[in-house]
Amino acid sequence: MTLDLTGDVVALTRTLCDIPSVSGDEKAIADAVESALRALDHLEVLRDGDAVVARTSLGRPSRVVLAGHLDTVPIKDNLPIKINDDILYGRGTVDMKGGVAVMLQIAATLPEPRHDLTFVFYDHEEVASRLSGLGRLVREHPDWLAGDFAILGEPSNASVEGGCQGTMRIQITVPGVAAHSARSWRGVNAIHGAGAVLDLLRAYEPRQPIVDGLQYREGLNAVKVEGGIAGNVIPDECRVWVNYRFAPDRSGEEAEAHLRELFAGFEIEVQDLAPGARPGLDQPAAREFVEAVGGVVEAKLGWTDVARFAQLGIPAVNYGPGDPLLAHTDNEFCPAQDIRDSLAKLLKWLG
């Protein structure tokens, strides 16, 4: 597959989308991206697994990192892409082949940017955090990611979303005593006992803190309940899975301590934790970028890889074409003009 990085950015988006790249199957698109970037003499190109990094070395006083993932969630009869009335329909149009196309075109058409640039295209974003290609680069090649400011091309309606929430998933195990349901008084029903966990969740009032001038909305919700082995057995165990979305003024450790206090007396196992990221809008590069693309910033209500850049001490924002509410939906679509506008604003700022 050959990618044209200097033609129409919408056509490039369509080509990228039509390369199936469900998480774990990114090799074909990574190969295409690497091949296209290696044809550009002004870039150094590096690769680790199915993550591709390209960067300029012009001696500029500052470096901006532009990053986006190559993978998508599973396809649901929504490939190949269709274009009607200047709108792209299909998997990846929003999350996030449009953003990737914008970054690839910048890499190809802006050989003399006013900041040195690093482009990062990575694998395994749409699956467990431990598999993330960007996480792998953070652990094994942090020098490849060095920069003063980062832009993650996640869909944001082509407006700036600052920082991101942290996310934690816990499993709460409620014990019981098994018995025949005809003699239920001889047992202890663990599913009934789990009602106390659900009562705490129903009564819980999530915080809405202001962090660096942006308002975040937390959330604490049961996302799965499992228990019981047969229709005539009193269950001796019930498990409730809870997802906590917490504002970036709390660390992962503080979030865990909060849940352990809330569910005191219950057995808790932390199954997944990804800390959030403060907006970092007090950094000069971040303020300059926000002003250049319209001056409006909202809090990112969700977790994104800006948190991995925050881990490296690099302030980062989310900025890309497409409505994030359409990500992962069967009717995913993105107006072509959103992609063109994102490209134009970034080129103006970086050029």
Side-chain angles (χ1 to χ4, degrees):
M1 175 65 69
T2 301
L3 302 178
D4 179 4
L5 304 190
T6 60
D8 177 23
V9 70
V10 176
L12 176 58
T13 302
R14 182 176 194 169
T15 301
L16 290 168
C17 288
D18 283 344
I19 303 174
S21 56
V22 175
S23 303
D25 188 28
E26 298 98 332
K27 185 178 186 305
I29 193 169
D31 287 348
V33 166
E34 179 186 16
S35 177
L37 291 172
R38 287 196 183 280
L40 304 172
D41 293 337
H42 63 282
L43 294 175
E44 175 191 15
V45 180
L46 306 162
R47 181 160 177 175
D48 180 285
D50 288 329
V52 181
V53 175
R55 57 191 181 185
T56 64
S57 297
L58 302 170
R60 303 292 195 251
S62 60
R63 178 174 292 275
V64 173
V65 181
L66 297 102
H69 62 85
L70 298 172
D71 59 323
T72 70
V73 296
I75 297 164
K76 289 287 293 291
D77 297 321
N78 48 9
L79 283 185
I81 294 303
K82 299 177 182 177
I83 300 181
N84 295 317
D85 296 327
D86 210 33
I87 298 175
L88 289 78
Y89 294 86
R91 179 64 76 224
T93 52
V94 171
D95 196 9
M96 56 165 289
K97 300 291 181 67
V100 169
V102 166
M103 288 182 279
L104 285 170
Q105 187 143 102
I106 292 170
T109 61
L110 195 63
E112 292 285 338
R114 61 192 186 92
H115 303 278
D116 265 312
L117 301 179
T118 298
F119 301 91
V120 184
F121 306 99
Y122 56 97
D123 56 291
H124 284 88
E125 192 273 345
E126 299 290 9
V127 287
S129 178
R130 61 184 173 80
L131 299 175
S132 166
L134 185 59
R136 187 177 66 251
L137 294 179
V138 169
R139 292 189 301 271
E140 300 178 8
H141 303 287
D143 54 309
W144 293 8
L145 304 177
D148 301 287
F149 178 58
I151 300 170
L152 192 67
E154 287 281 0
S156 65
N157 280 320
S159 61
V160 180
E161 293 184 327
C164 73
Q165 294 171 306
T167 179
M168 174 183 288
R169 284 188 291 274
I170 64 171
Q171 175 186 287
I172 302 174
T173 302
V174 180
V177 177
H180 196 296
S181 61
R183 295 175 290 279
S184 59
W185 62 89
R186 298 182 64 86
V188 177
N189 193 312
I191 293 178
H192 293 183
V197 174
L198 301 181
D199 286 341
L200 287 170
L201 290 168
R202 277 192 292 265
Y204 187 78
E205 295 187 6
R207 297 190 310 147
Q208 297 186 38
I210 304 294
V211 183
D212 296 349
L214 301 181
Q215 184 171 42
Y216 290 83
R217 295 175 61 95
E218 294 194 336
L220 185 66
N221 293 279
V223 293
K224 182 180 177 182
V225 178
E226 184 176 273
I229 61 171
N232 58 355
V233 178
I234 299 301
D236 64 351
E237 184 176 271
C238 183
R239 294 170 297 282
V240 181
W241 282 263
V242 174
N243 182 215
Y244 180 33
R245 298 290 176 142
F246 56 96
D249 60 341
R250 274 185 171 160
S251 67
E253 292 78 11
E254 290 169 334
E256 180 179 348
H258 174 62
L259 294 192
R260 290 193 180 278
E261 179 181 2
L262 178 66
F263 297 109
F266 292 98
E267 179 186 337
I268 294 176
E269 176 188 341
V270 177
Q271 297 194 321
D272 189 41
L273 169 62
R278 299 183 73 99
L281 298 177
D282 56 338
Q283 299 297 317
R287 290 199 304 269
E288 178 189 310
F289 174 70
V290 169
E291 291 171 3
V293 297
V296 178
V297 188
E298 296 181 354
K300 179 63 179 180
L301 301 182
W303 188 92
T304 74
D305 278 319
V306 296
R308 300 193 192 277
F309 288 105
Q311 180 182 340
L312 295 173
I314 303 171
V317 297
N318 305 278
Y319 178 80
D323 182 348
L325 297 180
L326 294 172
H328 301 186
T329 63
D330 293 349
N331 66 329
E332 188 174 348
F333 68 87
C334 181
Q337 194 58 44
D338 281 9
I339 301 170
R340 298 187 190 104
D341 289 347
S342 294
L343 175 63
K345 289 180 180 180
L346 281 169
L347 282 172
K348 182 178 180 180
W349 180 60
L350 294 168

